[in-house]
Amino acid sequence: MKRSEAGMVIPFEKFAWDNSKSKLVIKLPPKTIENPVLLYIEFGENSEHFYLGEEKAIRQIAEDFDLLPKYKGSVLMLSEERPLGSLLMDSYDFVTNHLSEVANIFRSMLHSIDSGNSEKASDYKMLEKLWSEGNTFQRIIINYLFCKFYQVKHLAANGTAGIFAFTAERRREMYSELEQSMEQEFLLLVHNPTTLSDLKQLHYYKRADLIEKIFCSNFTEFYVQYISYLSDRSLFFRVCPRCGKSFFANTSRRRYHNECAKLQDKDNKLRSQHELERDNFYKQCQEERYKYNNFRRGKAFERGSKKLQDEYLALFEKFKSDLADQKEKLQGDNAAACRTNVNTWLEKIIRARSDLEKKF
């Protein structure tokens, strides 16, 4: 089996959807899957290949890639090399936009078969649509869950324990265990860990020796090893708080990607300048308040006429009452536009006080 062009993902042939007929046909495996599903990622120089399939096939392909044609239909693969971290980008997009749809479809499929009802064709059609339109990670998730679902379904329907078929109670237990397993993986995906700190908060992280080939039996283990591998190579997943786009930073402290970082620096400088001007305004107001209090307690004020004293005190009260409004203007979104008017107000107050003091 050759790698397809344009980076398309080749699904398990056993579980592919066939629309050549008038109705939807699912190609089911001829027998129960005996080997567990295994996730496998192989790292190249700043690149990654991703595989999903039966353990026996995956482990042999990992040793000798030429064996891939032998296991055609047992392995899902990413057909071309992609930049390191691409799958994590796909994961973030899938969780953000389509996880709830996929989870609800599998819950519906489980409920139908567990309750003894016939499975809904609409569930499969919607799953097919999400598979065909999804990114790499979305296709991998659907194939992975689809494989687990049919593994249990066929084992419950056709499996035996010794010479006896599984009882109805045991089949219900198997579906219950499958449901719990899927819900745990949905919960992990909802948390969408993208950094080691996320994994540690979820109590998933365990330090492991990382090599160029990683085998994982579940998504929890995959996230731990994959993100650890990226972190060891100074690739830190980030979502830019300015534009909302995801990217990889080369340091753990970086929050913005290149263009937004430049714009943010400009904004920070303007904000610092505005804060400096605002603080200078507050300082001038404090000095003005001190001059008012100092003058009205002095001898010159006492010798002044009652009319001048009342006028001076009224000016002081007006200054205090207007000051709150002026400060509020400097706290709003239009602080820069209001700054000229605020400074004009302060200059006018200072000049009025100075002119009035000369009359005493």
Side-chain angles (χ1 to χ4, degrees), residues 132-177:
S132 62
E133 296 177 354
N135 61 32
T136 301
F137 189 81
Q138 183 165 321
R139 293 182 175 195
I140 287 170
I141 285 286
I142 291 174
N143 272 85
Y144 173 75
L145 295 175
F146 193 73
C147 184
K148 287 183 67 172
F149 175 78
Y150 267 96
Q151 182 179 12
V152 173
K153 177 186 174 182
H154 278 251
L155 187 61
N158 306 317
T160 60
I163 61 173
F164 300 102
F166 287 127
T167 64
E169 182 179 357
R170 176 56 188 144
R171 287 198 295 271
R172 283 195 296 271
E173 287 177 1
M174 292 170 69
Y175 290 129
S176 177
E177 290 167 3

Side-chain angles (χ1 to χ4, degrees), residues 264-326:
Q264 192 65 29
D265 284 342
K266 289 182 179 179
D267 287 351
N268 290 341
K269 288 178 182 177
L270 286 173
R271 189 178 298 110
S272 297
Q273 182 181 350
H274 291 161
E275 289 175 356
L276 183 64
E277 292 176 358
R278 186 188 64 199
D279 292 343
N280 185 51
F281 170 79
Y282 292 164
K283 183 179 179 180
Q284 286 180 293
C285 290
Q286 284 295 102
E287 291 176 355
E288 190 65 13
R289 185 189 292 271
Y290 171 78
K291 289 176 181 178
Y292 270 114
N293 287 325
N294 192 47
F295 183 81
R296 69 188 182 89
R297 293 182 185 126
K299 293 181 180 180
F301 183 82
E302 292 178 359
R303 290 196 297 266
S305 65
K306 184 70 169 61
K307 181 180 178 182
L308 279 175
Q309 289 178 350
D310 291 344
E311 189 177 349
Y312 192 84
L313 293 174
L315 184 63
F316 184 40
E317 291 301 321
K318 186 176 187 317
F319 165 74
K320 290 191 293 184
S321 62
D322 291 350
L323 181 59
D325 293 335
Q326 301 303 322

Side-chain angles (χ1 to χ4, degrees), residues 155-198:
L155 187 61
N158 306 317
T160 60
I163 61 173
F164 300 102
F166 287 127
T167 64
E169 182 179 357
R170 176 56 188 144
R171 287 198 295 271
R172 283 195 296 271
E173 287 177 1
M174 292 170 69
Y175 290 129
S176 177
E177 290 167 3
L178 174 61
E179 184 176 13
Q180 290 177 12
S181 172
M182 283 190 175
E183 289 299 335
Q184 288 176 355
E185 288 173 329
F186 291 149
L187 186 61
L188 171 66
L189 291 169
V190 165
H191 286 302
N192 193 25
T194 53
T195 64
L196 291 183
S197 60
D198 293 338

Side-chain angles (χ1 to χ4, degrees), residues 67-312:
L67 292 175
L68 186 58
K70 177 182 176 182
Y71 293 104
K72 181 180 179 180
S74 298
V75 174
L76 168 73
M77 61 174 288
L78 181 63
S79 61
E80 66 174 14
E81 291 189 356
R82 301 202 305 170
L84 194 59
S86 298
L87 203 65
L88 195 57
M89 289 284 192
D90 288 348
S91 167
Y92 179 80
D93 178 68
F94 165 69
V95 171
T96 304
N97 299 310
H98 299 293
L99 172 61
S100 59
E101 293 177 82
V102 172
N104 289 336
I105 290 171
F106 277 100
R107 289 187 184 114
S108 174
M109 290 166 63
L110 272 169
H111 177 75
S112 295
I113 195 166
D114 187 28
S115 59
N117 299 327
S118 58
E119 296 164 76
K120 300 175 184 175
S122 58
D123 287 341
Y124 292 99
K125 289 180 180 178
M126 182 57 69
L127 208 57
E128 177 193 13
K129 182 174 183 292
L130 289 170
W131 191 93
S132 62
E133 296 177 354
N135 61 32
T136 301
F137 189 81
Q138 183 165 321
R139 293 182 175 195
I140 287 170
I141 285 286
I142 291 174
N143 272 85
Y144 173 75
L145 295 175
F146 193 73
C147 184
K148 287 183 67 172
F149 175 78
Y150 267 96
Q151 182 179 12
V152 173
K153 177 186 174 182
H154 278 251
L155 187 61
N158 306 317
T160 60
I163 61 173
F164 300 102
F166 287 127
T167 64
E169 182 179 357
R170 176 56 188 144
R171 287 198 295 271
R172 283 195 296 271
E173 287 177 1
M174 292 170 69
Y175 290 129
S176 177
E177 290 167 3
L178 174 61
E179 184 176 13
Q180 290 177 12
S181 172
M182 283 190 175
E183 289 299 335
Q184 288 176 355
E185 288 173 329
F186 291 149
L187 186 61
L188 171 66
L189 291 169
V190 165
H191 286 302
N192 193 25
T194 53
T195 64
L196 291 183
S197 60
D198 293 338
L199 291 167
K200 289 174 181 177
Q201 288 175 6
L202 295 171
H203 306 292
Y204 288 140
Y205 178 71
K206 289 183 180 179
R207 182 66 187 176
D209 294 330
L210 300 176
I211 55 178
E212 302 303 314
K213 297 179 180 181
I214 295 175
F215 298 91
C216 307
S217 59
N218 55 60
F219 274 107
T220 301
E221 186 180 352
F222 160 74
Y223 269 116
V224 171
Q225 296 200 47
Y226 184 51
I227 293 172
S228 297
Y229 189 93
L230 297 180
S231 297
D232 282 0
R233 280 143 189 81
S234 299
L235 285 174
F236 303 96
F237 183 87
R238 295 287 183 269
V239 178
C240 180
R242 189 179 183 100
C243 67
K245 294 180 180 178
S246 54
F247 70 102
F248 278 101
N250 53 9
T251 67
S252 58
R253 295 182 178 181
R254 186 175 167 190
R255 298 179 60 219
Y256 302 88
H257 65 60
N258 291 338
E259 293 302 320
C260 287
K262 295 175 183 177
L263 295 173
Q264 192 65 29
D265 284 342
K266 289 182 179 179
D267 287 351
N268 290 341
K269 288 178 182 177
L270 286 173
R271 189 178 298 110
S272 297
Q273 182 181 350
H274 291 161
E275 289 175 356
L276 183 64
E277 292 176 358
R278 186 188 64 199
D279 292 343
N280 185 51
F281 170 79
Y282 292 164
K283 183 179 179 180
Q284 286 180 293
C285 290
Q286 284 295 102
E287 291 176 355
E288 190 65 13
R289 185 189 292 271
Y290 171 78
K291 289 176 181 178
Y292 270 114
N293 287 325
N294 192 47
F295 183 81
R296 69 188 182 89
R297 293 182 185 126
K299 293 181 180 180
F301 183 82
E302 292 178 359
R303 290 196 297 266
S305 65
K306 184 70 169 61
K307 181 180 178 182
L308 279 175
Q309 289 178 350
D310 291 344
E311 189 177 349
Y312 192 84

